[in-house]
């Protein structure tokens, strides 16, 4: 079995993922029987896109060691 090196950066990233999942696990069920407005849905869609892009970036960094982001990702993460 391959040993995972537990650097501070690795632990920070795992912790960030855990906090995100935990927060969503508590918050999403509170939307039960609630209809989001069009504006709310648009804001949520933008944030979900940012989350997806960030998760893709994390996967790429973990698989390749390449942590640079292209300008499109940088703009998306800045909310532009």
């Amino acid at each position: 079995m391959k040993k995972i090196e537990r650097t501070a950066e690795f632990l920070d990233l795992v912790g960030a993922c855990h906090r995100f999942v935990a927060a969503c696990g508590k918050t999403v069920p509170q939307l039960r029987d609630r209809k989001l407005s069009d504006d709310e849905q648009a804001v949520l869609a933008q944030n979900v896109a940012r989350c997806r892009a960030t998760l893709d970036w994390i996967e790429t960094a973990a698989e390749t060691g390449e942590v640079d982001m292209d300008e499109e990702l940088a703009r998306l993460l800045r909310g532009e």
Side-chain angles (χ1 to χ4, degrees):
M1 184 164 124
K2 191 173 181 179
K3 184 179 180 218
I4 296 175
E5 187 176 335
R6 289 177 173 80
T7 63
E9 297 82 7
F10 169 80
L11 293 174
D12 286 347
L13 195 51
V14 170
C17 291
H18 175 77
R19 287 186 300 278
F20 172 77
V21 170
C24 291
K26 288 176 20 181
T27 306
V28 172
Q30 295 174 2
L31 295 175
R32 185 179 318 278
D33 300 324
R34 184 167 185 281
K35 174 71 173 129
L36 297 177
S37 71
D38 290 344
D39 288 342
E40 289 172 323
Q41 288 184 35
V43 169
L44 189 56
Q46 290 172 339
N47 280 280
V48 167
R50 291 175 65 205
C51 290
R52 282 193 179 113
T54 301
L55 293 172
D56 288 344
W57 182 36
I58 291 168
E59 284 184 332
T60 298
E63 291 170 1
T64 68
E66 178 62 46
V67 298
D68 295 336
M69 65 176 85
D70 61 25
E71 187 55 37
E72 182 180 348
L73 176 59
R75 280 194 308 273
L76 183 64
L77 297 181
R78 287 192 304 262
E80 296 175 1

